Amino acid sequence: MRLRPIERSDADAIFHTYAGKALPTRFMPFPTHRDTADSLAFSMRCEDCWASGAAFPWAVMETASGRFLGSLELKLTPPKASIGYILGDAFWGRGFASEAASAVVAWAIAQPAIHRVWATCHPGNAGSAAVLRKAGLRYESTVANWEARPQLGEVAGASDIYALLKPTA
């Protein structure tokens, strides 16, 4: 697996790999994309994020084949950083999400200004919770009314919070 910045040329792969599919987007806070135009708008936002430094959205790529597997985004807002990710369901259970999340979490927590790396997932998303634990994050709490999930009809659904804290001296 390797990571590279998402580009607008990824729009078709984004749509067909995960964003236009019901299963991968089930627990996500954005609506399933209707067409590649939605994915193009997302990929253009990703390019803008890289340019401004607001966030760092990566394409998760399979090294051997060069296939697009999904996306992972890091937001640095010292003293904390957050991650979020989504992979196409064809790539679930093969360690790609854990490998990508682990690499980004390790890099983020190593930054002098970052003292907490955190992420959320739906309480019913056992696969995502497992990825977060493998990346070194620990469950902290469940918060109510945290995030919209259009596919579940949740205007403000609960989320489990996971975090990795930098050891204090």
Side-chain angles (χ1 to χ4, degrees), residues 47-58:
E47 286 183 342
D48 291 345
C49 285
W50 274 94
S52 72
F56 303 96
W58 283 288

Side-chain angles (χ1 to χ4, degrees), residues 30-122:
F30 60 83
T32 303
H33 292 184
R34 296 175 311 257
D35 51 39
T36 55
D38 288 343
S39 298
L40 177 60
F42 168 74
S43 63
M44 291 170 66
R45 182 202 67 86
C46 291
E47 286 183 342
D48 291 345
C49 285
W50 274 94
S52 72
F56 303 96
W58 283 288
V60 180
M61 308 294 293
E62 184 177 39
T63 304
S65 67
R67 286 189 300 180
F68 181 94
L69 307 177
S71 305
L72 184 145
E73 184 168 297
L74 171 69
K75 292 181 184 172
L76 297 170
T77 52
K80 60 192 174 297
S82 63
I83 66 163
Y85 53 88
I86 180 172
L87 267 61
D89 55 311
F91 307 110
W92 292 356
R94 297 174 49 193
F96 293 118
S98 296
E99 183 180 351
S102 294
V104 172
V105 166
W107 180 87
I109 202 69
Q111 303 312 301
I114 300 300
H115 295 271
R116 169 195 266 296
V117 179
W118 67 279
T120 66
C121 70
H122 186 279

